[in-house]
Amino acid sequence: RAVELTAEGDEPPVVIPVGLHYSDKTLFGSQLLIAIHPPLELPVELATPSADEEEKRTQARLLTAEFDRVLAEVVMATESWDLHHLMHRARKLLRAEGAARAGARSEAPSIVDRVRHFGTIWKRYQAAVERYPKETQRLLRGIARYDKLLGALRLEGFELDGKAWVASPRRAIWLALEFLLVYLVLPPLLVIGVVVNLIPALIVWVFNRIVARHYKDEATLKILVGSFLFPITWLLAAWLVGWGEGLLADTYPRIPRAPVLTGVIAFLLSAFGGMLALQYRQIATETYRTLRVHFTLVRRKKAISTLLAMRSRLFDEFMALDDKLT
C-alpha cells in the first residue's frame, strides 16, 4: 500500500527490520538494545504491487512470510527456550574460558556484547547443526551437563576463576562493606520507595491489564502512564512532607523551619527509593551470590576443579568445531 501511495518520481518506501533485545524481559526497567538492520532487498515480484486483486493477495501472503523469516533472523529466534538457554551458556563459557586463558578476569559484558556474541554463536550453530549434526549435539549435551553442575553449585562460569582472590583481606573488607550497604543501609530507602510508589505502581498495573490488548503493548503503556504518574506522586509526597515539617516546627519551635529543603529531600528519596525498589532484588541477589561464592570456592575446590576441566574441554571442542566450519 505504501508503494501505491508513493508519487511517481519519489523514492520508493523501504522496510527496515528492527530487533529488540532485553537483558531481562521479566524485569521492569531492564536494559533494551535496539538493533536496526539494513533495509530489505525484496524481489521485484514482491516489491511491485500487482493490479490483479487475487495476485495482490498472494503477494501479501508471500511478503508476510518473508517478514516472518527476517524477523526470526533479526531477533535470533531459537527452536526452543532450552536451546536458547544453552546457547547463552555457551556464550558465557567461551567468554569465561577465553579470559582465563588470557590471564584476565571475565567482567560482566554489556548488552551490546551479549547480543553480538549470542548472534555469532547462533549463526555458527545453524551452520554446524546442518553440516556436523552429531558433533553439534554432543557439544550441546556437554554444555547441558556443565550448566547443570553450575546450577547445582549456584555459580556462574566466570566465578570459577575467583580462587586467587578468595582469601584476600582487601576482598573480605569490600565484601563486608557491600553487605552492610545492601542489607543495612539500602532497606530503609527501599521501604520509603515502596510506601510512596506502591499506589501508583498498582494503578499502572491495573490500567495496563484493562487497556493493553496485546502483551507487546504492556511495556509501552507502562512507560506512557508511569512517566507522568510517578513524578506527580513524588511531588505530592514532597509537598506533604514539607507541609508536615512546617506543622512540626510550629509545634516545636526548636526545630528549624525548612519545608523546601525537607520537600526536596523527600522528592529525591521517593524517586531513588522507587528506582531502588525495581532493582533491589537483583542487587541483593548478586550480593548474596558474591558472598556465597566467596565461601563456596573455599569449600568446594574439588567440584570447582572438575568444572574448570569441563569448561576447558568444552572450549576446545567448540573451537575445533568452529575450525571445521571455517
Side-chain angles (χ1 to χ4, degrees):
R1 182 58 179 154
V3 172
E4 292 176 334
L5 294 175
T6 302
E8 186 176 352
D10 289 350
E11 290 291 332
V14 295
V15 179
I16 301 177
V18 177
L20 302 182
H21 306 275
Y22 295 87
S23 60
D24 186 349
K25 280 189 175 183
T26 63
L27 181 63
F28 180 71
S30 66
Q31 289 182 311
L32 165 66
L33 175 66
I34 303 176
I36 301 175
H37 294 258
L40 291 185
E41 295 183 5
L42 296 173
V44 177
E45 59 269 19
L46 290 183
T48 306
S50 173
D52 181 74
E53 289 300 321
E54 183 62 33
E55 187 175 347
K56 187 186 293 185
R57 282 192 287 270
T58 301
Q59 286 180 312
R61 287 193 292 269
L62 293 174
L63 190 60
T64 301
E66 178 65 8
F67 287 171
D68 285 343
R69 183 192 67 80
V70 173
L71 287 176
E73 182 176 328
V74 301
V75 301
M76 296 176 283
T78 55
E79 292 90 333
S80 67
W81 283 113
D82 288 339
L83 179 59
H84 181 88
H85 174 76
L86 286 181
M87 293 177 71
H88 268 298
R89 172 58 67 202
R91 171 186 65 79
K92 295 176 182 178
L93 183 152
L94 293 174
R95 182 182 179 87
E97 182 63 20
R101 295 189 180 194
R105 283 198 59 197
S106 178
E107 302 293 338
S110 66
I111 187 172
V112 175
D113 289 335
R114 288 200 299 268
V115 173
R116 182 186 296 121
H117 296 162
F118 184 89
T120 301
I121 292 177
W122 181 68
K123 290 179 181 178
R124 303 304 277 177
Y125 164 78
Q126 289 179 309
V129 78
E130 181 177 346
R131 295 173 56 185
Y132 306 103
K134 292 183 179 179
E135 293 90 333
T136 303
Q137 291 304 320
R138 184 172 63 249
L139 181 57
L140 285 177
R141 287 194 296 269
I143 294 174
R145 287 194 297 271
Y146 172 77
D147 179 68
K148 187 175 181 179
L149 288 174
L150 275 179
L153 288 178
R154 298 184 179 180
L155 294 176
E156 283 292 345
F158 68 90
E159 295 170 335
L160 300 174
D161 302 301
K163 293 182 293 183
W165 48 266
V166 166
S168 168
R170 180 181 298 180
R171 178 65 182 174
I173 293 174
W174 278 112
L175 284 175
L177 292 176
E178 184 176 350
F179 173 84
L180 293 175
L181 174 65
V182 173
Y183 294 109
L184 295 181
V185 177
L186 292 183
L189 301 179
L190 175 66
V191 172
I192 295 174
V194 171
V195 170
V196 174
N197 294 280
L198 180 59
I199 292 179
L202 290 174
I203 293 174
V204 171
W205 182 82
V206 172
F207 177 83
N208 190 71
R209 288 294 179 182
I210 295 175
V211 176
R213 296 182 179 180
H214 305 288
Y215 179 77
K216 63 181 180 181
D217 298 329
E218 292 188 11
T220 302
L221 288 173
K222 287 178 181 177
I223 292 173
L224 291 177
V225 177
S227 61
F228 70 88
L229 185 58
F230 283 104
I232 290 175
T233 303
W234 301 337
L235 288 171
L236 178 61
W239 179 81
L240 288 173
V241 171
W243 176 71
E245 196 276 340
L247 292 179
L248 194 63
D250 291 338
T251 306
Y252 302 97
R254 292 186 178 181
I255 297 177
R257 178 182 292 274
V260 175
L261 177 61
T262 306
V264 169
I265 294 174
F267 178 88
L268 294 176
L269 289 177
S270 299
F272 177 76
M275 290 182 283
L276 179 63
L278 296 175
Q279 301 293 334
Y280 184 77
R281 184 181 68 176
Q282 181 177 349
I283 294 172
T285 299
E286 291 179 357
T287 301
Y288 168 73
R289 172 180 288 171
T290 301
L291 292 169
R292 176 173 42 75
V293 167
H294 181 82
F295 297 105
T296 299
L297 290 174
V298 175
R299 293 185 292 107
R300 304 185 182 180
K301 290 183 179 180
K302 184 176 180 180
I304 290 167
S305 297
T306 301
L307 279 168
L308 284 171
M310 184 180 294
R311 189 183 74 182
S312 178
R313 177 176 55 79
L314 290 170
F315 183 92
D316 291 334
E317 289 182 11
F318 193 98
M319 292 295 102
L321 182 58
D322 190 63
D323 289 340
K324 292 172 68 174
L325 293 171
T326 303

